[in-house]
């Protein structure tokens, strides 16, 4: 039987705050949470995102059947280590981190020989905006959430975390951490870094009056470049090889396009754009 009477949320930014709001709206469990800042804790209570909120993660974990870490991915293993004696026996631990392989290795090693069970997850939801101020209950509705499986992953722990995400409207897929990291390197991490490259290239030399010409196309193409540098630092650090592979593939495509335009082969340019249009429709259908 799946027990989810109390969920502890460690970190109350956009992701953690939205999770709390969704759980409370659906009436799935009591919610306790940890946030470092006092104003975040006050806002979480006033928004109805939590039942209780604490200034220490250990206090938030007291009595929790499920713990969800919603902090930058590099901070999670050490934060969990600090809480090792605070987890309830049998507690199921998950996270919302954007990379999974390094985290799964560290968390499995941390909990080895204990009664604490880990099953990593990554909801494909979010925004370039951060903070509980922009949290909303519908963030995870219809979003795909990846549950990651390693050798020895406890099936009942997976079922518990699957129930959590399904309960707030997410769609769940199961896969290994390594496959997950390869897929999101291409679909999420590459686009973010390319958006940063576009901004850096367009903004070089502070060309006069350029801002007046940055219309909807520029805004939509580069929107994600406004995301948290701290979070993306951790993503690049923990998924370096897969990201490098995608950047090299992108570099090949860019080199092909440069050569095609240098050769004034505009029929090939058109064919390239038509192919990209078709592929986008297939990928987003």
């Amino acid at each position: 039987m799946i027990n989810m009477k109390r969920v502890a949320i460690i970190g109350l930014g956009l992701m953690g705050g939205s999770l709390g709001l969704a759980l409370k709206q659906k009436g799935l469990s009591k919610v306790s949470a940890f946030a470092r800042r006092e104003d975040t804790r006050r806002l979480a209570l006033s928004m109805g995102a939590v039942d209780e909120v604490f200034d220490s993660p250990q206090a938030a974990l007291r009595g929790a059947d499920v713990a969800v870490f919603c902090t930058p991915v590099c901070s999670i293993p050490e934060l969990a280590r600090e809480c090792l004696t605070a987890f309830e026996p049998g507690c199921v631990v998950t996270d919302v981190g954007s990379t999974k392989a390094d985290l799964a290795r560290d968390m499995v090693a941390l909990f080895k020989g204990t009664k604490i069970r880990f099953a990593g997850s990554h909801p494909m939801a979010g925004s370039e905006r951060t903070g509980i101020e922009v949290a909303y209950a519908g963030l995870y509705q219809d979003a795909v959430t990846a549950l990651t499986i390693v050798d020895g992953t406890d099936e009942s722990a997976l079922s518990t975390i699957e129930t959590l995400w399904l309960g707030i409207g997410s769609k769940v897929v199961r896969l290994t951490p390594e496959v997950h990291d390869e897929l999101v390197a291409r679909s999420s991490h590459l686009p973010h870094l390319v958006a940063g490259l576009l901004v850096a290239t367009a903004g070089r030399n502070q060309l006069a009056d350029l801002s007046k010409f940055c219309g909807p196309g520029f805004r939509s193409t580069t929107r994600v470049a406004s995301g948290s540098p701290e979070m993306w630092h951790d993503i690049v650090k923990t998924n370096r090889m897969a990201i490098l592979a995608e950047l090299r593939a992108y570099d090949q495509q860019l080199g092909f396009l440069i050569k095609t335009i240098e050769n004034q082969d505009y029929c090939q340019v058109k064919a390239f754009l038509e192919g990209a249009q078709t592929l986008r429709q297939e990928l987003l259908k």
Side-chain angles (χ1 to χ4, degrees):
M1 180 177 178
I2 292 172
N3 195 11
M4 206 166 61
K5 294 178 181 178
R6 180 176 290 269
V7 174
I9 300 173
I10 309 303
L12 283 176
L14 168 66
M15 304 295 279
S18 296
L19 176 58
L21 287 168
L23 289 168
K24 294 300 297 173
Q25 185 183 84
K26 301 286 186 180
L28 292 178
S29 73
K30 295 287 186 180
V31 176
S32 59
F34 157 70
R36 296 187 188 279
R37 295 168 49 196
E38 184 180 350
D39 56 346
T40 299
R41 296 194 294 272
R42 285 199 303 263
L43 187 54
L45 286 168
S46 67
M47 292 171 66
V50 297
D51 295 289
E52 296 178 291
V53 62
F54 301 92
D55 61 2
S56 80
Q58 292 86 350
L61 288 166
R62 193 176 301 121
D65 311 295
V66 176
V68 186
F69 282 78
C70 300
T71 60
V73 68
C74 283
S75 72
I76 294 174
E78 185 54 39
L79 194 53
R81 185 179 304 278
E82 293 172 5
C83 297
L84 198 55
T85 60
F87 291 102
E88 297 290 338
C91 182
V92 180
V93 179
T94 192
D95 67 288
V96 298
S98 298
T99 61
K100 309 290 3 151
D102 284 4
L103 183 60
R105 180 197 63 224
D106 292 344
M107 296 294 270
V108 168
L110 176 64
F111 295 137
K112 187 175 182 180
T114 75
K115 294 183 178 180
I116 306 161
R117 298 167 294 161
F118 176 75
S121 54
H122 175 209
M124 298 297 294
S127 169
E128 75 282 3
R129 302 163 70 197
T130 59
I132 196 170
E133 297 83 0
V134 294
Y136 64 102
L139 178 67
Y140 301 108
Q141 183 67 44
D142 296 324
V144 171
T145 295
L147 299 188
T148 52
I149 305 169
V150 299
D151 289 342
T153 298
D154 185 272
E155 178 59 35
S156 66
L158 277 171
S159 296
T160 297
I161 300 306
E162 189 170 63
T163 297
L164 183 149
W165 293 117
L166 291 174
I168 60 173
S170 191
K171 302 172 182 177
V172 174
V173 297
R174 296 186 180 193
L175 69 176
T176 67
E178 292 75 19
V179 170
H180 167 275
D181 287 359
E182 290 176 3
L183 289 171
V184 296
R186 187 173 300 191
S187 67
S188 175
H189 305 166
L190 173 66
H192 185 93
L193 293 173
V194 169
L197 287 167
L198 288 172
V199 173
T201 304
R204 74 191 189 281
N205 302 329
Q206 297 182 339
L207 189 64
D209 296 327
L210 178 65
S211 63
K212 296 178 182 178
F213 293 88
C214 292
F218 183 85
R219 290 176 185 274
S220 61
T221 305
T222 62
R223 175 184 60 81
V224 294
S226 296
S228 164
E230 179 186 19
M231 182 183 78
W232 281 96
H233 162 275
D234 285 10
I235 288 171
V236 173
K237 184 177 180 180
T238 55
N239 203 21
R240 181 176 68 94
M241 296 308 295
I243 289 172
L244 281 172
E246 295 308 320
L247 284 171
R248 291 187 181 109
Y250 179 84
D251 187 51
Q252 289 181 347
Q253 293 284 352
L254 179 61
F256 166 78
L257 185 59
I258 289 171
K259 183 63 68 177
T260 300
I261 295 173
E262 284 178 342
N263 293 338
Q264 301 183 57
D265 188 349
Y266 300 116
C267 289
Q268 186 61 53
V269 171
K270 183 181 179 184
F272 167 81
L273 294 172
E274 288 173 343
Q277 181 187 58
T278 300
L279 270 174
R280 184 180 188 276
Q281 292 169 347
E282 291 178 0
L283 289 169
L284 299 181
K285 63 184 177 182

